[in-house]
Each structure stands twice: as structure tokens, then as C-alpha cells.
Amino acid sequence: MSKVCEITGKRAMSGNNVSFSINKTKRRFNVNLSKKRFYIPEEDRWVTLKVSAKALKIINKRGVSAVLKEAKAQGLIK
């Protein structure tokens, strides 16, 4: 299962661990993802999405059906 937010499309980034002696080794910055169930009253059904913390804030602000419509238009979900 890939670590990609289904609403915002955020993915893991790569960067460096930098030690005190300034040695650099590769590391990964993962996305803060969680599986969440949302109820869509228009379709009278539950949907499970893998969303980031930022996406949860967007859904709380705009509403789940509007956000899902945008994500489908962008091609993030099918």
C-alpha cells in the first residue's frame, strides 16, 4: 500500500539526516496518514479514505462531498 494521501496527493519526501559532524545520510519524510471513514449523505454510504492531517482539516472546512468531487476531477481517486 503506497503512502499517498487520496485527497491532497501528498507523498513521502526524501532528505538528509545531518549529524553534528555534518555527515549526511539519506532519510525519508513520511506523510502523516490515517485511515478514516466518512459518511456521504447524498449517496447514503460510507467511504474509507487514507488521508493526511491536512486533508482532514480541508474536509472539515469544505465538506466531504465537495472535496471528493475535487479529488475525482484532479484524478487522485477513481
Side-chain angles (χ1 to χ4, degrees):
M1 208 119 160
S2 61
K3 295 180 181 179
V4 179
C5 176
E6 295 178 343
I7 300 298
T8 59
K10 286 187 173 191
R11 298 174 171 270
M13 291 175 29
S14 62
N16 288 317
N17 273 333
V18 182
S19 67
F20 182 73
S21 57
I22 324 217
N23 294 328
K24 294 177 179 76
T25 55
K26 282 295 182 190
R27 63 162 288 183
R28 241 173 108 112
F29 294 93
N30 287 322
V31 185
N32 186 7
L33 290 179
S34 59
K35 257 187 177 173
K36 190 86 170 126
R37 284 178 71 212
F38 296 99
Y39 180 70
I40 304 171
E42 291 84 25
E43 300 176 18
D44 193 37
R45 68 186 183 111
W46 289 88
V47 175
T48 302
L49 296 172
K50 202 168 16 165
V51 293
S52 63
K54 176 73 173 181
L56 278 174
K57 292 170 89 175
I58 292 170
I59 289 171
N60 283 338
K61 185 176 181 179
R62 297 188 203 157
V64 68
S65 37
V67 171
L68 282 175
K69 198 179 293 182
E70 274 182 33
K72 282 181 186 175
Q74 291 176 357
L76 294 171
I77 54 176
K78 43 184 159 47

